[in-house]
Amino acid sequence: ETHKQVVVDKFLDAVFEWRRAGVEKSSAEAQLSLELEGTTMSALAAQLVDSFNTQPGRDLFIRGLNRQRGAQKDVGIYFDVLAETLEALLDACVRHMDVDNCNMVMIMSQTFFRVHPTSPTGKEYIVVDGKGGGDSGDKNKQVKSGEKEFMQE
């Protein structure tokens, strides 16, 4: 139980720390700080996904994520990682008929977002990498420059 809590805390700290104190980290800087701790974001995500096969694992992650809702909603560089992790959590909830946590994930997906960069050329629309699953698959998509993209989209 303690190990699962440590994994949840490390993952969520990485997702939400990148913008605290007004200092934005690049994805390379964020990845380096995790590597200095002896792990990577993908390794943490894999451990989380494994823990979703148990009720306590799903509950720990939902509680941790729920604590972040008021603190920071823009997940920026970790949007895709968090989206994939939430998708895995939803899959586990369906497999284990965990309606309560499934409902919480759907509610919280309306809270977390990323802001697409402003076009350096002043164009109204930019093309972003559409990876991350869902209906978009691996296709690129056109989004409005500077627009918010929420998890539920």
Side-chain angles (χ1 to χ4, degrees):
E1 223 40 55
T2 304
H3 174 69
K4 286 180 186 175
Q5 185 66 56
V6 168
V7 171
V8 167
D9 290 344
K10 273 190 174 187
F11 180 84
L12 293 175
D13 283 349
V15 168
F16 293 99
E17 277 296 318
W18 75 279
R19 285 197 73 180
R20 293 236 169 94
V23 179
E24 290 192 24
K25 292 181 183 178
S26 69
S27 60
E29 289 173 315
Q31 188 64 35
L32 180 61
S33 68
L34 280 174
E35 287 172 4
L36 291 174
E37 293 178 21
T39 191
T40 64
M41 205 52 187
S42 46
L44 287 173
Q47 289 178 38
L48 277 177
V49 170
D50 285 343
S51 77
F52 294 160
N53 289 315
T54 67
Q55 186 70 46
R58 293 188 301 276
D59 291 345
L60 280 172
F61 185 72
I62 290 293
R63 275 196 305 271
L65 192 60
N66 196 31
R67 282 193 309 266
Q68 297 295 332
R69 286 172 73 186
Q72 180 73 352
K73 297 174 186 169
D74 182 357
V75 295
I77 59 175
Y78 288 121
F79 182 87
D80 290 327
V81 173
L82 185 58
E84 290 168 7
T85 304
L86 290 177
E87 185 176 1
L89 178 57
L90 282 172
D91 289 343
C93 287
V94 168
R95 273 193 314 277
H96 298 283
M97 294 185 283
D98 185 355
V99 177
D100 292 336
N101 281 329
C102 188
N103 188 36
M104 284 300 294
V105 170
M106 290 187 292
I107 290 168
M108 287 190 284
S109 72
Q110 299 171 27
T111 302
F112 302 110
F113 64 89
R114 69 175 160 194
V115 178
H116 290 292
T118 305
S119 171
T121 60
K123 292 185 178 181
E124 186 174 359
Y125 288 90
I126 58 172
V127 176
V128 296
D129 187 1
K131 66 183 171 186
D135 293 334
S136 64
D138 288 326
K139 298 175 185 166
N140 288 338
K141 59 184 176 179
Q142 212 175 41
V143 296
K144 192 164 185 161
S145 176
E147 186 174 77
K148 290 181 182 176
E149 178 182 9
F150 286 86
M151 287 282 167
Q152 89 251 16
E153 294 175 3

